[in-house]
Coordinates of all heavy atoms in Angstrom, one line a residue:
S32 N -69.0 51.0 -24.3 CA -69.7 51.6 -23.1 C -69.2 53.0 -22.9 O -70.0 53.8 -22.3 CB -69.4 50.7 -21.9 OG -68.0 50.7 -21.6
A33 N -68.1 53.4 -23.3 CA -67.6 54.8 -23.2 C -66.5 55.0 -24.2 O -65.8 54.1 -24.6 CB -67.0 55.0 -21.8
I34 N -66.4 56.3 -24.6 CA -65.3 56.7 -25.5 C -64.7 57.9 -24.7 O -65.4 58.8 -24.2 CB -65.8 57.2 -26.8 CG1 -66.4 56.0 -27.6 CG2 -64.7 57.8 -27.6 CD1 -67.0 56.4 -28.9
N35 N -63.4 57.9 -24.6 CA -62.7 58.9 -23.8 C -61.6 59.5 -24.7 O -61.0 58.9 -25.6 CB -62.0 58.2 -22.6 CG -62.9 57.3 -21.8 OD1 -63.9 57.8 -21.2 ND2 -62.6 56.0 -21.8
W36 N -61.3 60.7 -24.4 CA -60.1 61.4 -24.9 C -59.1 61.6 -23.8 O -59.5 62.1 -22.7 CB -60.4 62.7 -25.5 CG -61.1 62.6 -26.9 CD1 -62.5 62.7 -27.1 CD2 -60.5 62.5 -28.1 NE1 -62.7 62.6 -28.4 CE2 -61.5 62.5 -29.1 CE3 -59.2 62.4 -28.6 CZ2 -61.3 62.3 -30.5 CZ3 -58.9 62.3 -29.9 CH2 -60.0 62.2 -30.9
Y37 N -57.9 61.1 -24.0 CA -56.8 61.3 -23.1 C -55.7 62.2 -23.7 O -55.7 62.3 -25.0 CB -56.1 60.0 -22.7 CG -56.9 59.1 -21.7 CD1 -58.0 58.3 -22.2 CD2 -56.5 59.0 -20.4 CE1 -58.6 57.5 -21.2 CE2 -57.1 58.2 -19.5 CZ -58.2 57.4 -19.9 OH -58.8 56.6 -19.0
R38 N -54.9 62.7 -22.9 CA -53.7 63.4 -23.5 C -52.5 63.1 -22.6 O -52.5 62.9 -21.4 CB -53.9 64.9 -23.5 CG -54.1 65.7 -22.2 CD -54.4 67.1 -22.5 NE -54.6 67.9 -21.2 CZ -55.1 69.1 -21.1 NH1 -55.4 69.7 -22.3 NH2 -55.2 69.7 -20.0
Q39 N -51.4 63.1 -23.4 CA -50.1 62.8 -22.7 C -49.2 64.0 -23.0 O -48.8 64.3 -24.2 CB -49.4 61.6 -23.3 CG -48.1 61.1 -22.7 CD -47.7 59.8 -23.1 OE1 -48.5 59.0 -23.7 NE2 -46.4 59.5 -22.9
S40 N -48.9 64.8 -22.0 CA -48.2 66.0 -22.1 C -46.7 65.7 -22.2 O -46.2 64.7 -21.8 CB -48.4 66.9 -20.9 OG -49.8 67.2 -20.8
P41 N -45.9 66.7 -22.8 CA -44.5 66.5 -23.0 C -43.8 66.1 -21.6 O -44.1 66.7 -20.6 CB -44.0 67.8 -23.5 CG -45.2 68.4 -24.1 CD -46.4 68.0 -23.3
G42 N -43.0 65.1 -21.7 CA -42.3 64.7 -20.5 C -43.0 63.7 -19.6 O -42.4 63.2 -18.7
K43 N -44.3 63.5 -19.9 CA -45.1 62.6 -19.1 C -45.0 61.2 -19.7 O -44.8 61.0 -20.9 CB -46.5 63.0 -19.1 CG -46.7 64.4 -18.5 CD -46.6 64.4 -17.0 CE -47.0 65.7 -16.3 NZ -46.8 65.7 -14.9
Q44 N -45.2 60.2 -18.8 CA -45.2 58.8 -19.3 C -46.6 58.3 -19.6 O -47.6 59.0 -19.3 CB -44.6 57.9 -18.2 CG -43.2 58.3 -17.8 CD -42.2 58.2 -18.9 OE1 -42.2 57.2 -19.7 NE2 -41.4 59.2 -19.1
R45 N -46.6 57.2 -20.3 CA -47.9 56.6 -20.7 C -48.9 56.5 -19.5 O -50.1 56.8 -19.7 CB -47.7 55.3 -21.4 CG -49.0 54.6 -21.8 CD -48.7 53.2 -22.3 NE -50.0 52.5 -22.6 CZ -50.4 52.3 -23.8 NH1 -49.7 52.8 -24.9 NH2 -51.6 51.7 -24.1
D46 N -48.4 56.1 -18.4 CA -49.3 55.9 -17.2 C -49.7 57.2 -16.6 O -50.4 57.2 -15.6 CB -48.7 54.9 -16.2 CG -47.4 55.4 -15.6 OD1 -46.9 56.5 -16.1 OD2 -46.8 54.7 -14.7
Q47 N -49.2 58.3 -17.1 CA -49.5 59.6 -16.6 C -50.5 60.4 -17.6 O -50.7 61.6 -17.4 CB -48.3 60.5 -16.4 CG -47.4 59.9 -15.3 CD -46.1 60.7 -15.2 OE1 -45.3 60.7 -16.2 NE2 -45.8 61.2 -14.0
R48 N -51.0 59.7 -18.5 CA -52.0 60.3 -19.4 C -53.2 60.8 -18.6 O -53.6 60.2 -17.6 CB -52.5 59.3 -20.4 CG -51.4 58.9 -21.5 CD -52.0 57.9 -22.5 NE -50.9 57.5 -23.4 CZ -51.1 56.6 -24.4 NH1 -52.2 55.9 -24.5 NH2 -50.1 56.3 -25.2
E49 N -53.6 62.0 -19.0 CA -54.8 62.6 -18.3 C -56.0 62.4 -19.1 O -56.1 62.6 -20.3 CB -54.5 64.1 -18.2 CG -55.6 64.9 -17.7 CD -55.4 66.4 -17.8 OE1 -54.6 66.9 -18.6 OE2 -56.2 67.2 -17.1
M50 N -57.1 62.0 -18.4 CA -58.4 61.9 -19.1 C -58.9 63.3 -19.3 O -59.1 64.0 -18.3 CB -59.3 61.0 -18.3 CG -60.7 60.8 -19.1 SD -61.8 59.8 -18.1 CE -61.1 58.1 -18.3
V51 N -59.3 63.6 -20.5 CA -59.7 65.0 -20.8 C -61.3 65.0 -20.8 O -61.9 65.9 -20.3 CB -59.1 65.4 -22.1 CG1 -59.7 66.7 -22.6 CG2 -57.6 65.5 -22.0
A52 N -61.9 64.0 -21.5 CA -63.3 64.0 -21.7 C -63.8 62.6 -21.9 O -63.1 61.8 -22.5 CB -63.7 64.9 -22.8
S53 N -65.0 62.4 -21.5 CA -65.6 61.0 -21.7 C -67.1 61.2 -22.1 O -67.8 62.1 -21.6 CB -65.6 60.3 -20.4 OG -64.3 60.1 -19.9
I54 N -67.5 60.3 -23.0 CA -68.9 60.3 -23.3 C -69.3 58.8 -23.2 O -68.7 57.9 -23.7 CB -69.2 60.8 -24.7 CG1 -70.7 60.8 -25.0 CG2 -68.4 60.1 -25.8 CD1 -71.1 61.7 -26.2
F55 N -70.4 58.6 -22.5 CA -70.8 57.2 -22.2 C -72.0 56.8 -23.1 O -72.6 57.7 -23.7 CB -71.3 57.2 -20.7 CG -70.1 57.4 -19.7 CD1 -69.8 58.7 -19.3 CD2 -69.3 56.4 -19.3 CE1 -68.8 58.9 -18.4 CE2 -68.3 56.6 -18.5 CZ -68.0 57.9 -18.0
R56 N -72.2 55.5 -23.1 CA -73.2 55.0 -24.1 C -74.5 55.6 -23.9 O -75.2 55.9 -24.9 CB -73.3 53.5 -23.9 CG -74.0 52.7 -25.0 CD -73.8 51.3 -24.8 NE -74.4 50.6 -26.0 CZ -75.3 49.5 -25.8 NH1 -75.6 49.1 -24.6 NH2 -75.8 48.9 -26.9
A57 N -74.9 55.9 -22.7 CA -76.2 56.5 -22.4 C -76.3 58.0 -22.7 O -77.4 58.6 -22.7 CB -76.7 56.2 -21.0
G58 N -75.1 58.5 -23.0 CA -75.1 59.9 -23.3 C -74.5 60.9 -22.3 O -74.2 62.1 -22.6
S59 N -74.2 60.4 -21.1 CA -73.6 61.3 -20.1 C -72.2 61.7 -20.5 O -71.5 60.9 -21.2 CB -73.7 60.7 -18.7 OG -73.0 59.5 -18.7
I60 N -71.8 62.8 -20.0 CA -70.5 63.4 -20.4 C -69.7 63.9 -19.2 O -70.4 64.5 -18.3 CB -70.6 64.5 -21.4 CG1 -71.1 63.9 -22.8 CG2 -69.4 65.3 -21.6 CD1 -71.5 65.0 -23.8
N61 N -68.4 63.7 -19.2 CA -67.6 64.2 -18.1 C -66.4 64.9 -18.7 O -65.9 64.5 -19.8 CB -67.1 63.1 -17.2 CG -68.1 62.5 -16.3 OD1 -69.1 63.2 -15.9 ND2 -68.0 61.2 -16.0
Y62 N -65.9 65.9 -18.0 CA -64.7 66.7 -18.5 C -63.8 66.8 -17.3 O -64.2 66.9 -16.1 CB -65.1 68.1 -19.0 CG -65.9 68.1 -20.2 CD1 -67.3 68.3 -20.1 CD2 -65.4 67.8 -21.4 CE1 -68.1 68.3 -21.3 CE2 -66.2 67.8 -22.6 CZ -67.5 68.1 -22.5 OH -68.3 68.1 -23.6
A63 N -62.5 66.9 -17.6 CA -61.5 67.3 -16.6 C -61.7 68.7 -16.3 O -62.1 69.5 -17.2 CB -60.1 67.0 -17.2
D64 N -61.4 69.1 -15.1 CA -61.6 70.5 -14.7 C -60.8 71.5 -15.5 O -61.2 72.6 -15.8 CB -61.2 70.7 -13.2 CG -62.2 70.1 -12.2 OD1 -63.4 69.8 -12.7 OD2 -61.9 69.9 -11.1

Side-chain angles (χ1 to χ4, degrees):
S32 61
I34 296 176
N35 310 297
W36 285 96
Y37 282 79
R38 66 186 179 188
Q39 185 171 342
S40 300
K43 300 287 189 180
Q44 301 301 312
R45 179 188 174 100
D46 60 356
Q47 295 175 300
R48 290 179 182 176
E49 175 191 15
M50 183 181 288
V51 173
S53 300
I54 184 166
F55 296 90
R56 191 171 186 228
S59 60
I60 289 173
N61 288 331
Y62 295 103
D64 288 343

